[in-house]
Amino acid sequence: MTKRAESPQPQTLDEYKTYSEALEAEVNKLKKQVLMLLEQSKLAQHKRFGSSSEKTPLNQLFLFNEAEQAANPALPEPTVETVTHKRKKVKGDRLAKFDHLPVETVEYRLPEEEQVCSCCDGKLHEMSSEARDELVFMPAQYKIVRSVRFIYSCRHCERNEESTPVVTAKAPAPAHPGGLASASILAHVMHQKYVESLPLYRQEQQLLRHGLMLSRQTLANWMIYASERWLEPLFHYMKSHMLLQDILHADETTFPVLQEPGRKAEQKSYLWMYRTGHTSEPIVLYEYQPTRSGEHPRQFLEGFSGYLHADGFSGYHKLADVTLCGCWSHARRKFDEALKALPAAHRTAEVAAGKGLWFCNELFAVERRLKDVSPEARHQARQEQSAPLLEAYLKWLQNAEAEVLPKSLTGQAITYSLNQWDKLVAFMQDGRLEIDNNRAERAIKPVVIGRKNWIFANTPKGAKASATIYSIVESAKASGLNPYAYLKFLFEQLPQLPNLHDQDALRQLAPWSTSLPDSCRVAPPK
């Protein structure tokens, strides 16, 4: 073992002074490192055991301009007594939300021999009635539907002609020719996995309890077949329509695939998500790719020009003719995490993390006030209300950057905002743009929830099918459709099309189409 070389001992007063300053500098450096590690430890503990909400408590961060925050000149002076009236709920209100359900009436009458008065033996008559309502659950039922097509010929031609015309009765084309899978069972299995996040192996066990022996491999084959044969043409139509828009959102998440050629099972694959903004038809599309290369969004979005909401990932920088819009939720989250990592006693003090969070909160408060105004009015109001906040925030960032440890959580939050500044302020260019990319994060969440249940995809083919199915069901949900009813409708209608690439026919079947039957739509809440 080698012995560490020891520093020579100071001999003179000046050497002692230099040695003391060096020790002090090293102690300060170590203190900063300890504080940084404590921050990371506290944040990890909070993420594991604490609340996931990023809302700022009402009793925090009001120390900045507290008088301006609390003051409301329009508020009337309080009176001695305040009288409030609370409307009493009645039974009819409770039942109104279920009035779209069918009603089965069961009547209970006295038998004829019991309709006798106990006092005088006279005949009783129906004076009135009382009723009660119950919500009834009907368990799933399975049955075999055997389609029989009758074939016809002409007796006269059979006897007298050389050839006999044969006519076969028409029947709807099946969703799975030569197989048992109907439109309803395909829609059910897809809905269970991609909407309810129920893995195929659990569906296999569920079917077994109904007396049906269908292996998970069979179910997986059905999913891949239905996706490739019927849903992919609709997916490509939706993609072509999406690329015509000028505002999109994007995000990506890991999507493990076990049997990826040339790659180890533990290597990360990705599901990329692209969706339209709130001013266009709701289209949500997913694409499976084995890597996180920026080439994937460049190829998928080829032909698109306009604004793209995204986080700070550099993979989107390769896009041409695209203005990237940063996410203020990401910027805010970093200050929120930095504040939560501080000791509780320091979270209400005027610390850098709190000041940065306050700026972000003020920008979001402006957006909440402008939620229901027109894009033109929103753009104008942002110039008047958000622009001064952004100017003050940038100046504060530049000053605070030199005062905090770069690798601390607060330092990382400040660096993020400075590095992303051009993208963070891009939302000021158009009133249709959003201040954050939460729309994309909400669309990627079902995949994350599903992934926790079924863990991985087995093959790239299965991963591609999953991306296609997620695209259809999430677009359906965004359009206010019932995903199961919509999938069933598609598997009934698509097999009847002479040409699956008929753009007019696909337009009628798209999730946002007004020609879809009401049975596909979710009943509006009362």
Side-chain angles (χ1 to χ4, degrees):
M1 180 182 292
T2 58
K3 187 176 181 180
R4 188 182 65 174
E6 296 182 0
S7 303
Q9 292 295 321
Q11 301 296 326
T12 66
L13 185 61
D14 289 338
E15 289 178 349
Y16 270 108
K17 184 177 180 181
T18 303
Y19 182 68
S20 175
E21 290 174 350
L23 287 178
E24 186 176 356
E26 185 174 358
V27 168
N28 289 334
K29 179 182 177 181
L30 292 174
K31 283 182 177 179
K32 290 181 179 179
Q33 290 178 349
V34 169
L35 289 173
M36 184 176 66
L37 292 173
L38 285 174
E39 277 187 343
Q40 295 174 351
S41 174
K42 288 179 179 178
L43 181 59
Q45 291 288 323
H46 178 82
K47 286 184 175 180
R48 185 176 181 186
F49 302 110
S51 170
S52 60
S53 173
E54 295 178 6
K55 291 184 178 180
T56 305
L58 293 176
N59 62 342
Q60 290 187 16
L61 307 184
F62 283 170
L63 61 151
F64 308 115
N65 303 326
E66 184 175 357
E68 290 80 359
Q69 288 280 346
N72 185 358
L75 191 68
E77 287 296 313
T79 58
V80 176
E81 182 182 33
T82 300
V83 181
T84 60
H85 298 275
K86 186 175 181 181
R87 182 173 175 267
K88 183 180 179 180
K89 291 185 178 180
V90 295
K91 185 178 180 181
D93 294 335
R94 182 184 64 180
L95 295 178
K97 66 180 71 173
F98 301 116
D99 63 3
H100 61 284
L101 296 178
V103 176
E104 176 184 344
T105 301
V106 180
E107 297 179 344
Y108 299 92
R109 287 184 167 88
L110 284 174
E112 188 72 26
E113 61 273 15
E114 294 183 18
Q115 296 182 20
V116 179
C117 178
S118 59
C119 179
C120 67
D121 291 334
K123 184 174 176 56
L124 299 180
H125 71 94
E126 291 183 359
M127 180 183 68
S128 64
S129 64
E130 60 179 22
R132 61 183 173 89
D133 294 291
E134 295 176 329
L135 189 62
V136 176
F137 169 70
M138 300 178 65
Q141 295 180 345
Y142 299 89
K143 64 181 179 181
I144 295 293
V145 174
R146 179 173 294 127
S147 299
V148 180
R149 299 173 64 190
F150 287 91
I151 303 170
Y152 300 83
S153 68
C154 175
R155 292 290 189 190
H156 178 270
C157 292
E158 287 176 352
R159 297 189 185 100
N160 303 300
E161 304 295 338
E162 294 182 0
S163 62
T164 302
V166 175
V167 180
T168 304
K170 293 183 179 180
H176 197 300
L180 280 173
S182 65
S184 61
I185 194 68
L186 289 175
H188 173 68
V189 176
M190 281 187 182
H191 183 271
Q192 288 284 85
K193 178 171 182 179
Y194 296 99
V195 178
E196 304 298 342
S197 303
L198 190 67
L200 293 183
Y201 79 90
R202 289 172 61 188
Q203 293 195 52
E204 177 187 30
Q205 297 168 356
Q206 193 178 69
L207 288 166
L208 190 59
R209 289 191 286 272
H210 284 273
L212 301 175
M213 297 183 65
L214 290 171
S215 69
R216 70 195 73 174
Q217 290 79 15
T218 297
L219 300 180
N221 290 339
W222 286 358
M223 297 300 95
I224 293 174
Y225 174 85
S227 169
E228 293 179 344
R229 183 73 179 91
W230 306 122
L231 300 184
E232 277 192 17
L234 183 58
F235 173 92
H236 290 300
Y237 171 77
M238 292 165 63
K239 179 183 176 182
S240 65
H241 191 77
M242 170 188 282
L243 296 179
L244 298 176
Q245 312 307 313
D246 62 348
I247 298 177
L248 296 180
H249 295 252
D251 202 357
E252 74 288 332
T253 188
T254 55
F255 199 80
V257 176
L258 287 186
Q259 301 176 26
E260 180 77 50
R263 290 166 58 86
K264 296 180 180 178
E266 60 270 18
Q267 286 184 277
K268 291 181 179 179
S269 298
Y270 289 86
L271 203 65
W272 297 74
M273 190 284 308
Y274 309 90
R275 69 164 302 162
T276 53
H278 65 98
T279 57
S280 307
E281 292 91 349
I283 306 174
V284 187
L285 300 182
Y286 301 81
E287 183 189 37
Y288 165 73
Q289 290 292 350
T291 69
R292 206 185 183 195
S293 168
E295 285 298 312
H296 302 314
R298 186 185 66 81
Q299 292 174 5
F300 189 91
L301 296 176
E302 185 176 0
F304 166 73
S305 62
Y307 299 97
L308 179 68
H309 291 82
D311 55 22
F313 175 47
S314 61
Y316 299 106
H317 295 175
K318 295 185 178 182
L319 299 172
D321 300 323
V322 170
T323 299
L324 292 177
C325 300
C327 178
W328 278 93
S329 285
H330 279 73
R332 184 192 181 282
R333 185 175 302 140
K334 292 183 180 297
F335 285 113
D336 181 68
E337 291 176 348
L339 193 66
K340 287 174 179 175
L342 294 175
H346 296 169
R347 292 176 193 168
T348 56
E350 193 169 350
V351 293
K355 185 69 173 180
L357 184 58
W358 179 82
F359 275 114
C360 295
N361 285 344
E362 288 297 290
L363 287 169
F364 277 101
V366 172
E367 294 301 309
R368 286 193 294 272
R369 292 195 293 270
L370 303 177
K371 180 181 178 181
D372 298 322
V373 304
S374 68
E376 295 76 18
R378 184 179 299 110
H379 176 70
Q380 179 61 35
R382 283 173 174 173
Q383 309 308 312
E384 299 169 357
Q385 301 177 42
S386 299
L389 280 169
L390 291 169
E391 183 180 354
Y393 180 49
L394 178 59
K395 184 176 180 180
W396 175 81
L397 287 171
Q398 293 168 341
N399 292 333
E401 185 182 21
E403 299 176 0
V404 300
L405 192 66
K407 292 185 178 180
S408 67
L409 293 176
T410 302
Q412 293 176 36
I414 291 172
T415 301
Y416 179 88
S417 287
L418 287 172
N419 289 345
Q420 295 288 317
W421 188 253
D422 290 343
K423 302 172 186 62
L424 287 174
V425 298
F427 79 100
M428 297 288 288
Q429 299 178 28
D430 193 314
R432 297 173 300 158
L433 299 174
E434 298 178 53
I435 194 174
D436 55 43
N437 197 30
N438 289 349
R439 188 173 298 273
E441 291 194 5
R442 289 193 296 270
I444 210 76
K445 191 174 182 179
V447 178
V448 177
I449 295 173
R451 186 181 60 203
K452 289 181 179 179
N453 288 316
W454 41 260
I455 305 175
F456 54 80
N458 197 37
T459 65
K461 197 173 185 179
K464 182 182 178 183
S466 293
T468 301
I469 297 169
Y470 267 126
S471 300
I472 303 302
V473 299
E474 289 303 317
S475 295
K477 288 162 62 176
S479 295
L481 303 182
N482 178 321
Y484 165 76
Y486 179 59
L487 286 170
K488 180 174 178 289
F489 177 73
L490 290 179
F491 293 137
E492 290 171 345
Q493 299 301 315
L494 287 168
Q496 317 311 319
L497 296 181
N499 178 12
L500 275 175
H501 302 285
D502 183 341
Q503 298 298 292
D504 288 335
L506 293 174
R507 177 172 53 83
Q508 298 295 323
L509 297 175
W512 61 87
S513 172
T514 57
S515 63
L516 293 175
D518 290 340
S519 58
C520 290
R521 306 185 188 281
V522 176
K526 300 295 181 180

